[in-house]
């Protein structure tokens, strides 16, 4: 059975790997480590199709250790036990290099089964994962390994990789592949940084473009469009991508960048994650806008309710309105600052009792206990205000709310100052 083009055309030298210059270029740590012949336990972390398996294969060819490959999706402890059983044999006298793909699918017990042999050096582990290793990999494994993050490939990286593959095919002499630059550009754009997906599209396009003699292929933009799947935006509702996009969404709104805010909203809409969008918008309205524009929360709540009622695709319009209201509004974090200061005092200080004058006095005998006796009802005084102590005695001078430099809070500040002068 013919291997897929992506497997047949894997680079066999580090210098042929596209992208990942931050770890693979000459002066970077991974390249320097490998050139020195020092192979340590490593964890490759990054999205699919960016070179993790390719680099692991190249490393395995640079060592004289016995290579074993496992995929944690379908491997078990028995597979590890079979490898362990061969340790110290003639075949493994130089040690074992274990490439474990998708290590996040191993549970804690399965990961722990490797510990002893990683620690004594009989097994050198190279693991790859698309999930954040600091969330999914056992700490004892992490502490004995170096984590290398593989970045999403740029469009130019993907085009370079496709051209490398086409050159190799042409050098083999069996098929001559020619192409329009627009065809490779379209495939690279649709692959969204995943070279494997781009190569699968290229392979399909080559079959579609074969001439009658099957020895010459010409890739046009039309063939590329027909052979390429709809562009997929990376998104995992329970993984890093989910939180990274939500984080970028909120920070763009907080930074008063409506264009970036709408961009990240579009990613979330594309993923169909209505609940997460609504929840985050409601939080932002109070956390980042707050008293600078107090009615923002009312507008956002109306937009969120409308979005939940109509659902996608129309909900995108309500969500965009809420996003732009928040992104263009004046900003203040005085609400969350005040709340967090008060909560911190509850944890860190002896706050003392509620003043007796403020305690509930709506029961028989309350006055005998002094409850509410000295309380002054503000509505009986001018401007509905009278100075009296509301905080507990131990923290009576604490200040939690600080008005910020926006029109609304400056008005609040002036109002409070006038009352105090009175």
């Amino acid at each position: 059975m013919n291997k897929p083009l992506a497997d047949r055309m894997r680079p066999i030298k580090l210098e042929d790997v596209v992208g990942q210059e931050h770890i693979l270029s000459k002066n970077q740590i991974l390249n320097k480590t490998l050139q020195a012949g020092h192979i340590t336990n490593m964890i490759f972390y990054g999205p699919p199709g960016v070179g993790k398996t390719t680099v692991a294969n190249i490393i395995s060819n640079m060592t004289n250790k016995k290579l074993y490959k496992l995929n944690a999706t379908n491997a078990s402890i028995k597979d590890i036990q079979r490898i362990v059983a061969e340790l110290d044999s003639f075949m493994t006298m130089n040690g074992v290099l274990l490439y474990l793909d998708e290590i996040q699918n191993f549970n804690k017990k399965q990961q722990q089964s490797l510990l002893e042999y990683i620690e004594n050096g009989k097994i050198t582990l190279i693991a790859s994962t698309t999930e954040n290793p600091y969330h999914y990999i056992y700490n004892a494994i992490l502490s004995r390994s170096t984590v290398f993050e593989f970045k999403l490939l740029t469009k130019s990286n993907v085009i370079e990789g496709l051209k490398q593959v086409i050159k190799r095919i042409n050098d083999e002499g069996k098929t001559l592949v020619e192409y329009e630059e627009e065809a490779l550009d379209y495939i690279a754009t649709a692959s969204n940084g995943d070279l494997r997906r781009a190569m699968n599209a290229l392979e399909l396009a080559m079959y579609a473009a074969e001439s009658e003699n099957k020895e010459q292929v010409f890739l046009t933009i039309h063939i590329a469009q027909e052979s390429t799947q709809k562009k997929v935006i990376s998104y995992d509702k329970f993984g890093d991508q989910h939180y990274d996009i939500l984080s970028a969404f909120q920070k763009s709104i907080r930074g008063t960048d409506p264009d970036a805010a709408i961009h990240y909203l579009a990613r979330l809409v594309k993923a169909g994650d209505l609940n997460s969008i609504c929840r985050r918008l409601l939080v932002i309205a109070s956390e980042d806008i707050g008293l600078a524009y107090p009615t923002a929360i009312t507008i956002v709540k109306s937009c969120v309710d409308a979005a939940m009622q109509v659902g996608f695709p129309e909900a995108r319009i309500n969500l965009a309105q809420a996003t732009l209201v928040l992104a263009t509004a004046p900003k203040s974090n005085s609400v969350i600052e005040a709340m967090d200061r008060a909560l911190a005092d509850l944890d860190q200080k002896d706050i003392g009792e509620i003043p007796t004058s403020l305690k509930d006095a709506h029961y028989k005998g309350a006055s005998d206990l002094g409850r509410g006796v000295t309380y002054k009802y503000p509505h009986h005084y001018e401007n509905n205000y009278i100075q009296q102590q509301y905080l507990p005695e131990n923290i009576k001078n604490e200040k939690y709310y600080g008005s910020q430099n926006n029109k609304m809070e400056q008005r609040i500040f002036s109002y409070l100052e006038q009352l105090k002068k009175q």
Side-chain angles (χ1 to χ4, degrees), residues 243-297:
Y243 295 107
D244 287 347
I245 296 174
L246 283 172
S247 176
F249 179 54
Q250 180 162 1
K251 288 171 181 172
S252 299
I253 292 175
R254 181 184 295 150
T256 314
D257 189 330
D259 298 310
I262 283 291
H263 167 76
Y264 292 114
L265 173 66
R267 290 198 189 196
L268 294 163
V269 168
K270 193 80 169 175
D273 197 354
L274 181 56
N275 287 336
S276 292
I277 301 170
C278 292
R279 181 178 181 276
R280 189 57 61 109
L281 285 169
L282 289 167
V283 169
I284 294 168
S286 292
E287 180 179 349
D288 295 303
I289 284 78
L291 294 183
Y293 185 16
T295 55
I297 185 72

Side-chain angles (χ1 to χ4, degrees), residues 35-52:
Q35 296 305 329
H38 187 57
I39 312 298
T40 60
N41 300 309
M42 291 178 266
I43 296 171
F44 294 165
Y45 156 52
V50 296
K52 300 188 300 295

Side-chain angles (χ1 to χ4, degrees), residues 12-15 24 30-39 42 54-65 67 97 126:
I12 57 176
K13 297 182 293 184
L14 278 182
E15 51 265 36
L24 296 180
L30 181 55
N31 190 307
K32 290 168 72 174
T33 298
L34 298 178
Q35 296 305 329
H38 187 57
I39 312 298
M42 291 178 266
T54 295
V55 173
N57 285 338
I58 293 171
I59 292 173
S60 70
N61 292 329
M62 298 173 68
T63 177
N64 57 359
K65 297 178 183 291
L67 175 65
L97 179 66
I126 299 179

